[in-house]
Amino acid sequence: MKVLVLGASGHIGARLMEMLQATPWAKATGASRRMKNTASWLEVDSRDPRQLAQALQGFDAVVNCVAGDAVSIADGARALAQAALQAGCRRIVHLSTMSVYGPAEGRVREDAPLNPSLGWYGSAKCEAEAAMHDFARHGGEAVMLRPGCVYGPGSQLWVGRIGRWLQAGRLGDLGIAGDGWANLVHVDDVCQALLLALRLPTAQGKIPVFNLAAPDSPRWNDYFVDLALAINATPVRRLGRRRLQLDAWLCGPPLKAAERGLKLLGSHGVKLPDALPPGLLALWSQHIHLDTQAATHRLGVRWTPYADGLRDSAAWFTAPAAASRHTLDKVICTP
Amino acid sequence: MIREADSIPNGSRLEADVCVVGGGPAGIALALSLSDQGHAVLLLESGRLEPHAPTQDLYEGEVADEQLHSPPGKYRQRRLGGSSAIWGGRCMPFDPIDFETRAHIPHSGWPISYEDLLPYYPRANALAEAGRFLYDAGEALAPGTGPLIAGFDSERVLSNGLERFSCPTHFGNRYARRLALAPTLEVLLGANCTALRLQEGGQALRELQVRTLAGTQFTVAARNTVLATGGLETARLLLASRDVAPQGVGNTHDVVGRYYMCHIAGNVGTLTVHGPTSDVRHGYEISPEGIYCRRRLSIAAGEQQRLGLANAVARLHFPRITDPAHRSGVLSGLFLARKLISYEYSKRLKDGPPPTAAVYARHLRNVLADPLDTTGFLAHWLSKRTLAERKFPSVILRNRSNRFSLEVHGEQIPQAHSRVTLAGGTDALGMPRLKVDWRYSRADIDSLGASLDVMAEEFARSGKARFDYNRHTLEEDVMRFGAYGGHHIGTARMGTDPRSSVVDADCRVHSVRNLFVAGSAVFPTSSQANPTLTLIALSLRLGDFLSRQLRAERAPLQMKEAA
């Protein structure tokens, strides 16, 4: 099976490339906006349907791991659906997100209604899902995965910055403010699910959808305390909602402005503290618990136990190179 | 879902797999655990999140001797979260010896062992937000943290044990969202259980009668009912339900309400540590996961057995607050501000005859003479307690003199005539009020004295410290404020023999197959430990038992359907 991976230089895409290359049945090509000097790489702007259609020629399937701003996500997905139909690329495996459920709480199965009200990210991801439905209506095969928070080695979003906040005493045990479920899923499990989705039999016009989160993933407070202990960011602090809000609303804007300013000046050497996006405060107290029965039983994902994922994540964080490694996913503020 | 009991139509009959009466730490832990396992749970809570005087008044009752025991409505809160709304947060497990039948402690012995409860303690610790289940300083604190007293190491008197502190977590505030979202759980607020109605013959509970202060009445018929209403109210409810069993539910052998225990506690003697003040770690330490921990002295189990002692612990404490001779500005400040402190926390600031003007003047002088220390203390208190999410647990003074008193907290030996009974009057819902007649015995004091003697011997033997106390004033020292407030234990004790206990090893009332009790009422002995952590653990164990039982009841039905 010839597979093109869009967003192959990102956290998930990069790991997926490694895993695809290790399978006997897939021949993987990576694609991203920036060229890489390897034979199995294409330079593609995934928002451009013509470029995409050209790139997709000859591929049996495409995996959409594109991250970025709202336009890249939504327009990119629409462009991909159109291009895949044109190029005769039969299958799209689309990486969506739990953010499409919006502010839902309690156990959430894949048939729960979508709610784009939580911000640009969830809204763009809902649009991207709609594009996949279009693709299926026009005869394409699509499978969608909705991961929770992807952790494990390389995750700047859910290990890197969390670890840095813990070290700085800006995060800890949050009480009620951190009582939501973390819905953590190991990057290897996401990639495993992507691999399984590439070969999953599908029925005409139907899109199988799977939530992805380790069934033993704890609540945010547990994750924060466990990670803090594992990376020696101790003693863990107890922080309340007020304190987090001050950090997010008072320190956030100047930090963001300074970050942009430094970027404009072309300075990459200065490392600023990560701003705390207010959206995260809502996420940490949101009692959304992804139901992953379908991924377990129908897709057959074998989940990395939380303890192992935590150990991998902490080992990556404490390895000398990790702290300075910044990947594409750093630009996204919500899962 | 959480809703008002007044929204239930009058005369309704509600059903559930399990009805939990009482939304305190025991009831909330149990209800969440059962609903996590998919069972339909109805939690009846008399109050709401905020305190409400008419609801709180339902607790009022009599005491035989107010010098010995506070009124029944004190130290208890009738609201969602129960008395965790005002608790101090001290957490530590019972010791293995507490569960054993000890020849020297009459009526001792649980029908379960420490090992039976151990699997539930870590979850209890987590619910109480007290961190990891580690109670040995060597395991719980960062490596290199020094001992209680440098150079003091004894096999008879252990000094490496810890107590941990909850935030203190208000279970109502903390878990309201979980309760509201649990799909198979319904919480009714303002719902007072006023009677347990047995089936004819008395072997099973038919229904609960529920009333609200606004006048709504309905009944609950659950497969299983659990009373989680605290050590006093549980006995009251059992005793007051007399329609089928005239002596009260589960009271065939006149055990309900008897063997009532609290703890024997007070500040005793003077401990003088030799050497530099930096040798002593008398205050709070913070564990890696951010929990306040404090060391305590205890008598090794073997020594308790050999000397015939009840269990007891001691902490290094400051001198008696009311006596201005301590010359501490902080303590005098506390004494002067005692009227601003709640009943529960100011009780031990009010002893002896009313202070004279001269005593006031000496306290005031202490405050004025010690302005830096007093200001520093206030600043620390404001930042680490008043404004902090995890509160600094109690007043700790800087150690300037290496002199302390020992704050002891001892097990009380169970005795049948220490008891609660129904009193004459009734509350606003027509329930008989409670009368508390708490007793202690000579043996309680003697045991504590003997424990202190062991400590004194071991301090002397070590050459590191010296402990002096007056054996003749020990009883006065520990009974000055009567029973230690808030620990209401033993009124529906657990055992194998219905003639001397109310519930069995599964917390089931012996004579009523679908009625259970959660909480410290079932503890047959009181341990050295505060009861909250253990009653949460026991609730979680009960939750697992009920869950297994409900599954077993359902299993044959499903098989039949399949056939």
Side-chain angles (χ1 to χ4, degrees):
Chain A
M1 184 189 284
K2 286 186 72 185
V3 182
L4 182 68
V5 177
L6 297 179
S9 59
H11 171 221
I12 298 168
R15 180 73 184 117
L16 178 65
M17 286 298 291
E18 289 172 10
M19 284 172 65
L20 272 171
Q21 277 155 2
T23 64
W25 51 266
K27 187 170 178 308
T29 304
S32 67
R33 238 178 277 174
R34 275 164 305 197
M35 188 57 194
K36 257 196 184 176
N37 249 349
T38 61
S40 56
W41 206 270
L42 295 175
E43 185 180 340
V44 179
D45 184 342
S46 60
R47 293 166 300 186
D48 181 344
R50 267 208 339 226
Q51 249 193 59
L52 258 178
Q54 223 166 25
L56 284 175
Q57 292 294 335
F59 283 100
D60 303 302
V62 56
V63 179
N64 184 18
C65 301
V66 170
D69 57 13
V71 177
S72 313
I73 293 169
D75 289 359
R78 279 188 284 265
L80 174 62
Q82 202 186 325
L85 288 170
Q86 274 176 26
C89 173
R90 213 173 56 246
R91 173 167 295 207
I92 304 178
V93 175
H94 172 68
L95 199 57
S96 185
T97 166
M98 70 181 242
S99 292
V100 296
Y101 298 119
E105 293 199 294
R107 277 245 164 225
V108 172
R109 283 200 327 204
E110 290 82 350
D111 55 2
L114 300 197
N115 182 333
S117 71
L118 264 196
W120 67 266
Y121 183 71
S123 164
K125 284 292 207 178
C126 285
E127 286 182 47
E129 286 205 1
M132 294 304 118
H133 284 285
D134 267 349
F135 174 67
R137 261 194 299 279
H138 288 92
E141 294 172 7
V143 181
M144 294 198 290
L145 304 179
R146 292 179 186 150
C149 298
V150 182
Y151 77 141
S155 169
Q156 283 295 341
L157 272 185
W158 303 112
V159 181
R161 62 177 178 172
I162 300 279
R164 291 191 290 274
W165 282 325
L166 288 166
Q167 283 177 329
R170 293 167 64 194
L171 196 58
D173 173 9
L174 310 183
I176 297 173
D179 205 33
W181 293 98
N183 296 301
L184 294 171
V185 55
H186 195 285
V187 60
D188 287 358
D189 297 355
V190 175
C191 295
Q192 184 200 144
L194 289 166
L195 258 57
L196 291 163
L198 280 168
R199 305 210 288 176
L200 182 78
T202 57
Q204 173 79 40
K206 287 239 166 81
I207 299 188
V209 186
F210 300 99
N211 290 336
L212 299 179
D216 62 351
S217 168
R219 294 176 191 267
W220 284 111
N221 285 329
D222 300 319
Y223 176 54
F224 295 155
V225 173
D226 292 342
L227 186 63
L229 291 176
I231 63 173
N232 276 324
T234 57
V236 180
R237 297 183 64 180
R238 171 80 173 207
L239 302 169
R241 197 184 296 275
R242 261 178 310 171
R243 153 101 204 201
L244 291 171
Q245 282 168 339
L246 276 179
D247 191 335
W249 294 105
L250 280 186
C251 307
L255 278 173
K256 271 279 163 205
E259 193 183 301
R260 290 216 180 107
L262 281 173
K263 212 173 182 182
L264 280 178
L265 293 171
S267 164
H268 297 291
V270 185
K271 280 198 66 194
L272 286 171
D274 306 76
L276 193 64
L280 276 191
L281 273 51
L283 176 74
W284 293 336
S285 62
Q286 184 187 351
H287 289 236
I288 179 171
H289 201 181
L290 293 184
D291 184 304
T292 53
Q293 300 275 333
T296 307
H297 300 299
R298 193 162 157 224
L299 199 55
V301 176
R302 296 178 61 180
W303 307 99
T304 304
Y306 168 64
D308 296 354
L310 184 74
R311 199 192 47 228
D312 290 358
S313 300
W316 170 76
F317 184 86
T318 45
S324 58
R325 217 181 308 156
H326 281 208
T327 57
L328 253 187
D329 67 358
K330 186 138 192 303
V331 300
I332 308 165
C333 298
T334 43
Chain B
M1 192 189 349
I2 302 182
R3 60 173 169 152
E4 284 291 323
D6 280 316
S7 68
I8 305 288
N10 231 334
S12 306
R13 185 178 160 92
L14 309 182
E15 292 181 354
D17 287 332
V18 181
C19 176
V20 179
V21 185
I28 287 175
L30 177 64
L32 287 175
S33 140
L34 283 166
S35 68
D36 278 351
Q37 299 179 66
H39 305 295
V41 182
L42 185 64
L43 176 63
L44 303 178
E45 169 50 48
S46 168
R48 291 164 189 84
L49 258 178
E50 296 310 311
H52 179 242
T55 302
Q56 184 67 20
D57 179 72
L58 298 168
Y59 268 157
E60 286 310 319
E62 300 170 19
V63 279
D65 182 348
E66 205 156 326
Q67 292 295 309
L68 275 185
H69 194 286
S70 45
K74 298 295 181 188
Y75 295 94
R76 302 223 68 97
Q77 291 284 302
R78 203 162 163 132
R79 56 203 264 208
L80 190 63
S83 304
S84 72
I86 58 165
W87 74 314
R90 184 174 277 127
C91 291
M92 87 281 304
F94 278 26
D95 300 312
I97 194 174
D98 291 319
F99 297 84
E100 293 168 13
T101 302
R102 293 161 286 169
H104 57 279
I105 308 285
H107 312 290
S108 64
W110 293 47
I112 60 172
S113 68
Y114 176 75
E115 284 69 30
D116 291 325
L117 207 49
L118 189 57
Y120 302 94
Y121 268 127
R123 264 162 75 204
N125 241 48
L127 280 171
E129 299 189 283
R132 302 293 195 249
F133 186 71
L134 297 173
Y135 284 85
D136 183 274
E139 296 169 344
L141 301 178
T145 315
L148 175 67
I149 296 170
F152 178 73
D153 185 21
S154 159
E155 285 183 0
R156 300 173 72 204
V157 176
L158 310 177
S159 55
N160 232 15
L162 288 182
E163 49 197 35
R164 294 174 160 259
F165 283 79
S166 170
C167 290
T169 299
H170 179 324
F171 278 61
N173 287 335
R174 180 66 180 82
Y175 298 115
R177 193 89 195 114
R178 292 196 194 178
L179 292 169
L181 287 169
T184 61
L185 170 62
E186 183 163 15
V187 181
L188 292 179
L189 299 177
N192 299 281
C193 174
T194 52
L196 313 168
R197 295 202 183 119
L198 298 181
Q199 283 174 3
E200 224 173 299
Q203 272 99 48
L205 187 70
R206 178 162 54 93
E207 62 186 21
L208 300 176
Q209 178 185 281
V210 182
R211 300 182 60 182
T212 72
L213 284 171
T216 305
Q217 289 199 39
F218 54 91
T219 57
V220 177
R223 284 164 173 257
N224 300 285
T225 295
V226 182
L227 304 182
T229 49
L232 298 177
E233 198 67 5
T234 294
R236 181 181 174 203
L237 205 45
L238 291 169
L239 291 171
S241 301
R242 294 174 284 201
D243 52 349
V244 172
Q247 67 281 54
V249 172
N251 199 28
T252 319
H253 299 283
D254 189 23
V255 184
V256 174
R258 290 188 180 274
Y259 302 96
Y260 173 53
M261 292 165 284
C262 300
H263 282 109
I264 310 286
N267 292 351
V268 184
T270 306
L271 175 74
T272 310
V273 181
H274 314 311
T277 53
S278 57
D279 276 1
V280 185
R281 307 181 81 87
H282 67 300
Y284 294 103
E285 324 238 13
I286 299 180
S287 72
E289 72 275 32
I291 311 298
Y292 287 112
C293 298
R294 195 173 176 196
R295 291 160 197 275
R296 55 232 299 277
L297 296 160
S298 61
I299 308 291
E303 281 299 286
Q304 289 185 38
Q305 289 283 13
R306 192 174 69 82
L307 299 169
L309 305 178
N311 205 351
V313 293
R315 294 176 280 267
L316 270 55
H317 202 65
F318 46 69
R320 238 176 94 195
I321 290 179
T322 45
D323 182 355
H326 51 60
R327 303 184 68 173
S328 157
V330 173
L331 294 184
S332 287
L334 273 175
F335 173 81
L336 294 172
R338 69 198 185 285
K339 294 215 165 94
L340 305 175
I341 303 171
S342 72
Y343 174 93
E344 283 81 3
Y345 289 96
S346 66
K347 198 171 178 206
R348 285 174 186 257
L349 303 178
K350 298 169 187 163
D351 69 20
T356 60
V359 169
Y360 274 116
R362 286 177 65 202
H363 278 298
L364 196 61
R365 197 180 60 195
N366 286 349
V367 173
L368 296 176
D370 206 2
L372 281 181
D373 212 35
T374 312
T375 314
F377 172 81
L378 284 176
H380 180 262
W381 194 253
L382 188 71
S383 67
K384 297 294 181 196
R385 183 160 177 109
T386 314
L387 297 176
E389 285 277 318
R390 182 172 284 284
K391 304 210 176 285
F392 194 78
S394 70
V395 174
I396 296 289
L397 299 184
R398 195 150 51 91
N399 171 20
R400 286 188 289 196
S401 61
N402 259 356
R403 283 160 71 88
F404 305 88
S405 69
L406 285 186
E407 184 185 35
V408 294
H409 193 258
E411 176 180 21
Q412 188 190 354
I413 298 164
Q415 45 177 322
H417 60 277
S418 176
R419 66 187 300 203
V420 303
T421 51
L422 297 179
T426 55
D427 67 15
L429 298 171
M431 283 272 290
R433 293 205 184 263
L434 203 66
K435 180 179 176 181
V436 177
D437 184 1
W438 176 78
R439 310 280 182 91
Y440 68 97
S441 69
R442 187 76 244 154
D444 292 329
I445 308 298
D446 289 343
S447 172
L448 203 55
S451 297
L452 290 170
D453 291 340
V454 176
M455 290 180 193
E457 281 166 32
E458 289 301 290
F459 282 130
R461 192 193 53 77
S462 75
K464 297 292 173 189
R466 171 192 168 95
F467 179 62
D468 300 297
Y469 79 105
N470 185 343
R471 184 70 184 76
H472 302 292
T473 60
L474 178 61
E475 181 165 357
E476 191 194 326
D477 285 340
V478 295
M479 279 306 135
R480 187 170 286 128
F481 308 98
Y484 193 79
H487 303 172
H488 304 134
I489 300 168
T491 54
R493 66 201 316 259
M494 179 189 274
T496 48
D497 184 350
R499 288 168 303 179
S500 58
S501 60
V502 179
V503 302
D504 66 15
D506 299 318
C507 298
R508 185 202 314 255
V509 174
H510 284 305
S511 55
V512 187
R513 66 166 195 274
N514 58 351
L515 179 62
F516 298 79
V517 177
S520 55
V522 305
F523 297 179
T525 52
S526 54
S527 175
Q528 45 70 25
N530 297 39
T532 306
L533 186 70
T534 296
L535 69 85
I536 296 171
L538 200 54
S539 288
L540 295 172
R541 179 174 176 271
L542 173 58
D544 272 10
F545 171 80
L546 288 171
S547 185
R548 277 199 308 275
Q549 186 179 275
L550 284 162
R551 283 216 190 91
E553 283 169 12
R554 278 197 198 111
L557 284 177
Q558 281 165 357
M559 279 166 64
K560 238 184 270 169
E561 276 164 26

